Amino acid sequence: MKLWRKPLDSDEKKPPQGRVHILIERCKGCGFCITYCPKDVLESSPDFNRRGYHPPVVVHPERCVNCGLCTIICAEFAIWTTPVEEPQPQPQT
Amino acid sequence: MITEQETHPLDDLLRVDRIPHIWCPTCGLGIVLNSFLTAVRESGIPREDIVVVSGIGCTGRAAGYVNLDSFHTTHGRALPFATGLKLGNPRLKVVVISGDGDLVAIGGNHLIHTARRNMDMTVVCVNNFNYAMTGGQFGPTTPKGARLTTAPYGSYEHPFNIPFLVDSCGATYVARWTVLHIRQLTESIKEALVHPGFSFIEVISPCPTVYGRRNQLGSGLDIVKYYRDNSIVRNDIDTRECEIEYQGKIIVGRFVQKRKPTYLETMNEYLRQSVGEGFVPYQGPMDDGD
């Protein structure tokens, strides 16, 4: 998403960061998560899983904002995201 | 050393030993199940209080995949079974997850009477416009013009408008979503779980293997893209206006939400008036271990 101006509080606040987990052997390669990821984090892997499907692979891990759409759109319960906690800045004494 | 717990957040609500399920790739049924389990998790209802009942068909397998009390009943008889279950123990949250063939075709009579009585239960009806598990026969929800195994030149019957059917019979919560409206669907199931009375949610789901292939609609991804481009959200409209035409616009939304006495409330109130003050309202089995 492109912003037409820089948010005033962009120094203090950052978008949340997520991490994608994939259970490769559960995937049936339907492609819902790849198509509907709003941040285009995923791509179809050239490799096969044990059942012959192409599971998704994370190509832009830094873009994930932990929106959880892939978690709820996955028909196979094979993908989910968890929040990544940013290290808190230490207060200066 | 960092060890990761590689289990899906919904794994405790699933019978993981039954996963992967039998549903085809790009079928919407897994999304409906995911949405239902997310709604159960977020609603905070204890899992001991929820019972899932299914009939026969592709959607009928849903009861076998949830790690809740669940019943896989005979064809079309999910609703009378669920009615008995609810009357046996009114404290249970009874949820019926079944397909259009099971609920509206062979179970059609049960559907109208369960809606008429305003039985306190939630029905998730997954509509994929055909009998998918038995090879793709056309059914009462097949849109006019859609080709299927038993309608090679296209179906010429007028299909059911299911929200209008259940609304006119007396359902007090009626909604329709496609599998792509996941967040709305999850919210709707959450609302329906706490709604007193007959709550009915129709979910339009792609069937790429039979319906999509027979009608050359492309893959499941293409069908879902068509849903995204052609669905219109219109809440609180007259349910007569939400007919589905073949490859036409799909009107989705929450159409009806009203409060009416449920079957047990009506029964207790009526009998209290007829029998008199000595009548003890039926609350279900007692907790004394009988």
Side-chain angles (χ1 to χ4, degrees):
Chain A
M1 188 172 71
K2 282 186 182 171
L3 298 174
W4 60 274
R5 66 166 177 80
K6 191 180 168 194
L8 294 171
D9 57 356
S10 63
D11 296 337
E12 304 158 23
K13 294 187 179 173
K14 291 203 166 114
Q17 175 76 37
R19 178 154 174 251
V20 184
H21 305 254
I22 303 169
L23 292 176
I24 288 169
E25 293 304 330
R26 274 195 194 177
C27 179
K28 282 187 194 156
C30 68
F32 281 136
C33 53
I34 299 166
T35 312
Y36 291 104
C37 174
K39 292 284 184 181
D40 296 327
V41 173
L42 303 163
E43 259 182 27
S44 184
S45 165
D47 300 329
F48 299 100
N49 66 9
R50 208 178 298 157
R51 287 185 285 157
Y53 295 112
H54 294 283
V57 62
V58 180
V59 285
H60 295 292
E62 75 288 349
R63 289 191 194 165
C64 178
V65 291
N66 194 31
C67 73
L69 186 72
C70 56
T71 315
I72 55 173
I73 209 170
C74 179
E76 303 291 329
F77 306 94
I79 186 170
W80 71 98
T81 59
T82 48
V84 174
E85 296 295 331
E86 290 279 317
Q88 295 294 320
Q90 294 295 319
Q92 295 195 346
T93 53
Chain B
M1 180 181 161
I2 300 168
T3 53
E4 280 187 31
Q5 192 188 3
E6 285 291 308
T7 53
H8 192 274
L10 291 172
D11 268 2
D12 59 323
L13 288 170
L14 280 171
R15 292 187 194 168
V16 184
D17 53 329
R18 297 273 178 251
I19 302 291
H21 50 61
I22 61 153
W23 297 321
C24 311
T26 69
C27 171
L29 285 167
I31 303 178
V32 178
L33 188 63
N34 194 331
S35 191
F36 168 68
L37 293 178
T38 309
V40 168
R41 167 67 49 82
E42 289 178 4
S43 68
I45 300 169
R47 63 164 64 182
E48 301 81 31
D49 292 355
I50 299 185
V51 186
V52 178
V53 183
S54 284
I56 299 296
C58 289
T59 323
R61 310 289 291 221
Y65 296 125
V66 293
N67 196 10
L68 305 163
D69 286 339
S70 61
F71 295 91
H72 194 183
T73 66
T74 45
H75 199 3
R77 272 65 190 168
L79 285 172
F81 187 94
T83 302
L85 209 55
K86 181 72 187 175
L87 296 182
N89 189 350
R91 279 166 296 184
L92 294 176
K93 288 267 170 218
V94 182
V95 183
V96 176
I97 304 178
S98 213
D100 57 309
D102 186 69
L103 284 173
V104 187
I106 188 169
N109 230 321
H110 297 300
L111 178 68
I112 59 178
H113 290 289
T114 317
R116 173 178 66 85
R117 293 180 184 129
N118 198 19
M119 283 302 306
D120 186 11
M121 62 173 71
T122 299
V123 180
V124 179
C125 172
V126 183
N127 184 357
N128 57 10
F129 306 119
N130 72 112
Y131 296 96
M133 189 166 269
T134 47
Q137 293 86 356
F138 77 101
T141 51
T142 307
K144 218 182 259 186
R147 288 163 189 254
L148 282 161
T149 324
T150 47
Y153 300 103
S155 166
Y156 44 80
E157 294 183 7
H158 194 82
F160 263 134
N161 174 0
I162 313 176
F164 177 47
L165 175 73
V166 292
D167 179 24
S168 56
C169 293
T172 47
Y173 184 99
V174 183
R176 176 200 275 157
W177 301 104
T178 73
V179 289
L180 207 57
H181 295 84
I182 326 159
R183 294 198 194 275
Q184 290 99 320
L185 175 63
T186 311
E187 283 302 311
S188 222
I189 297 175
K190 269 162 67 181
E191 278 180 1
L193 283 174
V194 296
H195 176 83
F198 188 77
S199 42
F200 187 93
I201 301 165
E202 181 188 4
V203 189
I204 310 288
S205 169
C207 175
T209 310
V210 183
Y211 186 82
R213 190 165 55 88
R214 287 267 167 198
N215 290 291
Q216 299 180 344
L217 301 177
S219 70
L221 270 177
D222 296 323
I223 302 175
V224 169
K225 184 174 181 302
Y226 155 76
Y227 291 162
R228 188 176 68 171
D229 297 340
N230 290 283
S231 41
I232 309 165
V233 180
R234 288 179 68 195
N235 292 314
D236 303 319
I237 58 157
D238 189 339
T239 45
R240 273 175 287 197
E241 297 168 24
C242 59
E243 292 257 5
I244 292 181
E245 288 170 4
Y246 179 62
Q247 294 301 91
K249 298 282 179 198
I250 300 174
I251 293 175
V252 296
R254 189 188 63 204
F255 303 137
V256 178
Q257 189 179 26
K258 60 188 177 192
R259 183 74 176 94
K260 215 171 79 173
T262 64
Y263 178 80
L264 277 169
E265 286 169 351
T266 319
M267 180 186 93
N268 284 330
E269 178 59 26
Y270 184 83
L271 289 180
R272 193 184 62 74
Q273 286 180 4
S274 344
V275 176
E277 288 307 314
F279 174 69
V280 181
Y282 176 63
Q283 301 286 345
M286 307 301 286
D287 278 333
D288 55 1
D290 286 351

